[in-house]
Amino acid sequence: MRIVVIGAGIVGLCTAWHLARGGAAVTVLDGGPPGGGASSGNAGAISAGSVAPLAMPGVLRQVPGMLIDPEGALHLPARYALRAAPWLARFVASARPARVAAIAEALSGLLFNAMEQHRRILAEEGALDLIQETGQLYLYRDRDHYAKDAAGWALRQQHGMRLEFLDGAEAIRALEPDMRGDYAFGVFIPEQGSSINPRRQAEVVARGVERLGGTIRQEVVQAVTTGEGRVTGAATASGLIEADAVVLSAGAWSARLLAPLGIRIPLESQRGYHVMLRDAGINLRRPVIPADRKAFISPMEEGLRIAGTVEFGGLDHPPTPRRAELLLRDLRMAFPQARTEGAEGFWMGHRPCLPDSLPVLGSVRRWPGLWCAFGHGHLGLTGSAPTGAVLAQAMLGPAPNLDLSPFAAERFG
């Protein structure tokens, strides 16, 4: 079976890896190098228990204040407000309690074995050193501060996430001795993990695709091609690449390739930022997340990465440098002694986000031969390995146990 995978981000690469391992003749196409976008710039978190959608009733009460604060964790530039309004309306609509429960159930089914799926790929590629399983630590000012997020944590617990509550700054420092901020309540998630180098992880998976007989070509896909009522391949500047099936995994650009086929997906780029510090002068054992800003402070093999913020701004506008600078302030709130001189790697990338927090995953009924795997939002790294496994099963057999209908493109009409 000849399969073209459009997109060499971590989701597309894990899908290509499983397809090649299953015997398909796989060609991966991307205008950039493997893992060059959001797949390399993320916080590195692998959070199998993160089943609570972004649109929770409690979050919605906080959104208006964040939107009008130019330095808030959620930023909507005035120039982009009208463009983002339809997406935000769908986001609000998805926060109904029954819908939230259904979304969490679907995400739980997709993500529950994420760590095992990552280990499976990395073990075969001889790179298990990329994963650390030391948990994640969320910091709150006090119990009242935690109460704003309590509904989301309760939903995660319902789906099996194990939490340990840390009461008092000393309890927090028992896990992270260098914490010096004004945080007196912590939520420790012992069974979560992280990647110490997301870019290297993507490159390892890419080499695995080639080891298994697949091909990776750095070419921009101009269009998904069709003929006689089905998808026939992909068009690039060098010509048509014919295929029996096409997997669209182009991240935030996926909707642009679907639009000419008459498929409208409310996909928005939630632009994320990170800053790297080679020597911050502090020692962290795991990702630490100050909950008031939702910034991830992650130890990596190249230094300390502070990643986070959400900015609506589309795919074409330049980055907002101030958003990256705010991350250094977030770091100092928890670690005021950290050295921030010489910060490097001011980075912005496009998280492909859908209003209901569910990716588009599976076949497209209107176009036989077309499959989708995009829209994982803030859970792209987490969801990449399980997505690749389940999609390869759906395409090559045996049929996966996971019901893919909640992830269908057709849910948007």
Side-chain angles (χ1 to χ4, degrees):
M1 188 175 181
R2 300 169 303 164
I3 301 176
V4 165
V5 176
I6 302 174
I10 190 62
V11 174
L13 290 170
C14 286
T15 301
W17 188 91
H18 278 282
L19 289 169
R21 193 176 184 276
V26 179
T27 301
V28 180
L29 302 173
D30 196 302
S39 297
S40 66
N42 59 70
I46 300 175
S47 307
S50 291
V51 302
L54 294 179
M56 295 284 291
V59 171
L60 295 182
R61 289 192 293 269
Q62 303 170 39
V63 166
M66 289 190 286
L67 287 176
I68 63 175
D69 180 1
E71 296 188 352
L74 173 60
H75 183 228
L76 176 59
R79 59 172 166 74
Y80 203 73
L82 285 177
R83 178 73 178 272
W87 191 96
L88 290 170
R90 286 179 178 265
F91 179 79
V92 171
S94 70
R96 301 186 312 273
R99 182 65 182 134
V100 167
I103 292 168
E105 185 70 25
L107 283 175
S108 178
L110 177 63
L111 302 178
F112 84 97
N113 66 341
M115 185 61 73
E116 291 80 2
Q117 292 290 357
H118 279 281
R119 281 199 300 259
R120 176 187 178 189
I121 294 175
L122 295 176
E124 291 201 24
E125 300 305 326
L128 278 172
D129 65 298
L130 277 162
I131 298 293
Q132 63 175 13
E133 298 183 54
T134 52
Q136 298 171 12
L137 174 61
Y138 284 72
L139 302 179
Y140 290 89
R141 301 290 176 180
D142 48 38
R143 284 187 174 274
D144 289 340
H145 185 201
Y146 163 79
K148 295 180 180 180
D149 292 343
W153 288 116
L155 187 59
R156 295 178 181 98
Q157 285 181 297
Q158 290 172 21
H159 288 276
M161 177 182 274
R162 185 163 67 87
L163 306 180
E164 296 179 11
F165 298 101
L166 309 176
D167 211 342
E170 290 306 313
I172 293 172
R173 292 190 186 109
L175 282 180
E176 291 295 344
D178 283 352
M179 200 285 293
R180 293 289 182 271
D182 185 22
Y183 294 95
F185 190 78
V187 179
F188 177 51
I189 318 170
E191 294 168 355
Q192 307 293 277
S194 60
S195 171
I196 63 171
N197 191 328
R199 177 184 285 276
R200 183 160 72 88
Q201 185 167 343
E203 292 169 346
V204 163
V205 180
R207 288 195 294 272
V209 172
E210 294 175 324
R211 177 184 65 81
L212 292 165
T215 301
I216 298 177
R217 293 166 55 172
Q218 193 166 330
E219 295 187 53
V220 174
V221 173
Q222 300 169 333
V224 176
T225 59
T226 62
E228 298 182 355
R230 64 171 292 112
V231 162
T232 59
T236 71
S238 63
L240 171 65
I241 301 173
E242 295 183 346
D244 302 306
V246 170
V247 176
L248 179 57
S249 189
W253 287 264
S254 298
R256 291 184 175 181
L257 289 168
L258 285 176
L261 303 180
I263 301 168
R264 307 293 175 182
I265 302 293
L267 185 67
E268 185 59 68
S269 166
Q270 289 187 9
R271 293 147 45 117
Y273 292 79
H274 86 223
V275 179
M276 288 293 298
L277 295 170
R278 293 284 178 178
D279 182 13
I282 59 175
N283 179 39
L284 297 191
R285 302 169 181 175
R286 58 187 56 81
V288 175
I289 305 94
D292 36 12
R293 295 282 300 180
K294 303 295 191 293
F296 276 70
I297 304 169
S298 301
M300 294 193 174
E301 64 182 3
E302 296 178 333
L304 193 69
R305 175 172 294 180
I306 309 95
T309 83
V310 170
E311 179 184 55
F312 290 93
L315 296 170
D316 303 315
H317 291 282
T320 307
R322 178 62 176 158
R323 303 305 297 172
E325 294 168 8
L326 289 170
L327 292 170
L328 294 177
R329 188 179 73 179
D330 297 337
L331 170 67
R332 288 190 290 266
M333 290 171 67
F335 303 94
Q337 77 276 32
R339 293 194 295 265
T340 57
E341 302 82 6
E344 58 186 62
F346 280 79
W347 174 95
M348 187 274 285
H350 298 280
R351 305 185 193 102
C353 290
L354 290 150
D356 59 3
S357 297
L358 291 177
V360 175
L361 178 59
S363 61
V364 177
R365 289 196 301 268
R366 192 186 311 178
W367 290 104
L370 178 60
W371 297 76
C372 293
F374 65 84
H376 293 72
H378 298 249
L379 296 170
L381 178 60
T382 300
S384 59
T387 290
V390 74
L391 199 66
Q393 282 187 292
M395 296 179 72
L396 305 177
N401 292 326
L402 180 67
D403 177 14
L404 294 180
S405 60
F407 306 95
E410 289 80 8
R411 72 183 188 269
F412 297 112

